[in-house]
């Protein structure tokens, strides 16, 4: 595959930090991208996904399905040749433990701290 056919992606985390950018083949599945994100997740984050099901990828306001390829999930409007596409990463919050009354408050505090300054139009 030609270098020009590869797609430049970076992944924006909830705190505004990024993973990437890196080049990916258009036939790469969303599930494979999530595996890359899990493997490269920064260790210093309070919220850490455990499985690909804990991660949602958003491109141009749409949640991408695991079985979709990059080619199927691309939104060509607004993409520049040679530009980097930013996908937003959302981590599903941990399940609440009914035996721990502090968990709900801690989860609420974590959600308030972890907001991305990006606006999706």
């Amino acid at each position: 595959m030609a270098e020009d056919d590869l797609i430049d992606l970076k992944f924006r985390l909830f705190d505004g930090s990024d993973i990437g950018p890196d080049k990916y083949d258009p036939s790469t599945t969303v599930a494979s991208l999530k595996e890359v994100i899990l493997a490269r997740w920064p260790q210093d984050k309070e919220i850490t996904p455990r499985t690909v099901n804990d991660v949602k990828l958003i491109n141009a306001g749409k949640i991408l399905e695991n079985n979709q390829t990059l080619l199927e999930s691309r939104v060509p409007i607004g993409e520049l040749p040679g530009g980097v596409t930013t996908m937003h990463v959302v981590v599903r919050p941990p399940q609440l433990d009914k035996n721990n009354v502090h968990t709900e408050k801690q989860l609420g505090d974590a959600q308030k701290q972890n907001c991305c300054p990006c606006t999706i139009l």
Side-chain angles (χ1 to χ4, degrees):
M1 172 161 286
E3 179 79 15
D4 291 343
D5 293 337
L6 297 177
I7 300 171
D8 271 332
L9 291 179
K10 69 178 174 181
F11 304 102
R12 176 76 35 96
L13 305 182
F14 56 84
D15 63 355
S17 62
D18 293 330
I19 295 175
D22 291 300
K23 294 184 182 296
Y24 296 91
D25 187 287
S27 64
T28 303
T29 63
V30 171
S32 296
L33 293 176
K34 290 180 178 183
E35 289 173 11
V36 169
I37 291 168
L38 286 175
R40 296 182 57 195
W41 193 266
Q43 298 300 310
D44 61 342
K45 303 290 182 211
E46 283 185 38
I47 297 176
T48 303
R50 294 184 202 140
T51 69
V52 293
N53 293 328
D54 292 343
V55 175
K56 292 192 185 312
L57 281 181
I58 301 174
N59 184 30
K62 294 184 179 181
I63 296 174
L64 306 181
E65 299 296 326
N66 285 346
N67 59 348
Q68 283 182 308
T69 65
L70 280 176
L71 188 61
E72 293 167 338
S73 63
R74 282 182 83 178
V75 178
I77 298 171
E79 287 187 10
L80 300 173
V84 176
T85 300
T86 300
M87 291 189 178
H88 288 257
V89 179
V90 177
V91 179
R92 188 174 73 182
Q95 299 300 317
L96 294 178
D97 181 358
K98 293 178 183 170
N99 297 328
N100 186 349
V101 293
H102 299 292
T103 305
E104 191 170 332
K105 181 179 179 341
Q106 291 167 346
L107 179 59
D109 291 344
Q111 287 174 336
K112 287 178 193 170
Q113 293 172 355
N114 301 323
C115 74
C116 178
C118 300
T119 302
I120 299 175
L121 300 175

